Amino acid sequence: SAMRGLGMGRSFPFFNVFFEESLHASTQEIGLIFFCSRLVSMPSAVLSPGLTRRFGAVPTLFSLRFLSGLLLAALGLTGHLSLAFVVFLIYSASEAMATPQEMTFATEQVHRSYWGRGQSLRVTGFQISAAVGSVLAGRLIVSAGYGFTFGLASVAVFCSAILLLVKFGWHYQ
């Protein structure tokens, strides 16, 4: 969660500014982009438990995190609003699919009596690293641009996927 938080902190708070500064999107277009991202996220979150049942928690989470990392890097490199719009929608859907499955998986790793405490620690780790990531990203964007900053965010997301795989293995049930 901490690595994912670092990636999220380096990207999410800056998406609207990225669309405006780098891709020259209007305020109305940015609103439409975020509206559409929520529209694709809702059914994606509902469909994700089926993927986990079919393929297993680790393969599903790893694949979704890996996809999110690729899409985040691609978003930072695109120079076209229409392409960025499509990439952002797919990114939003993959994040919406992974998040509830990750919460469930993390909860199942601890004894029932520690579920609340376990989730509190997971969320705290995410929030702290996201806050640090946001401060770092603000400085990085000014000096190195969105492509580099989103690229670093994608590395953090890749690391979270790799750590999951190393810890639990592909066939963990």
Side-chain angles (χ1 to χ4, degrees):
S1 287
M3 291 304 292
R4 200 167 84 35
L6 187 61
M8 190 69 74
R10 287 181 179 163
S11 57
F12 191 79
F14 303 98
F15 284 147
N16 61 340
V17 182
F18 164 74
F19 285 121
E20 181 182 11
E21 288 182 357
S22 292
L23 304 175
H24 311 291
S26 69
T27 302
Q28 293 84 0
E29 289 169 324
I30 294 168
L32 181 62
I33 290 167
F34 279 88
F35 172 76
C36 290
S37 75
R38 295 301 97 202
L39 282 182
V40 300
S41 294
M42 288 182 285
S44 299
V46 172
L47 295 174
S48 66
L51 287 175
T52 300
R53 279 191 300 276
R54 177 154 173 85
F55 300 108
V58 173
T60 300
L61 286 170
F62 177 84
S63 300
L64 289 169
R65 289 288 173 232
F66 193 81
L67 178 63
S68 290
L70 289 175
L71 293 165
L72 192 53
L75 186 63
L77 297 174
T78 186
H80 302 284
L81 182 58
S82 57
L83 179 58
F85 173 69
V86 172
V87 169
F88 187 69
L89 290 182
I90 300 168
Y91 168 79
S92 297
S94 68
E95 283 294 314
M97 293 172 83
T99 301
Q101 298 312 304
E102 180 188 7
M103 291 170 60
T104 301
F105 182 76
T107 300
E108 291 173 347
Q109 300 314 303
V110 296
H111 188 272
R112 183 177 179 85
S113 62
Y114 294 104
W115 282 1
R117 186 174 302 147
Q119 283 299 334
S120 295
L121 290 172
R122 189 189 69 75
V123 169
T124 300
F126 177 92
Q127 295 295 337
I128 290 170
S129 61
V132 170
S134 295
V135 171
L136 295 174
R139 294 178 182 187
L140 278 173
I141 289 168
V142 170
S143 62
Y146 290 98
F148 181 75
T149 306
F150 287 3
L152 284 179
S154 71
V155 168
V157 174
F158 289 142
C159 286
S160 75
I162 291 167
L163 286 170
L164 175 75
L165 188 59
V166 167
K167 170 70 175 156
F168 296 102
W170 189 260
H171 299 288
Y172 180 86
Q173 290 299 333

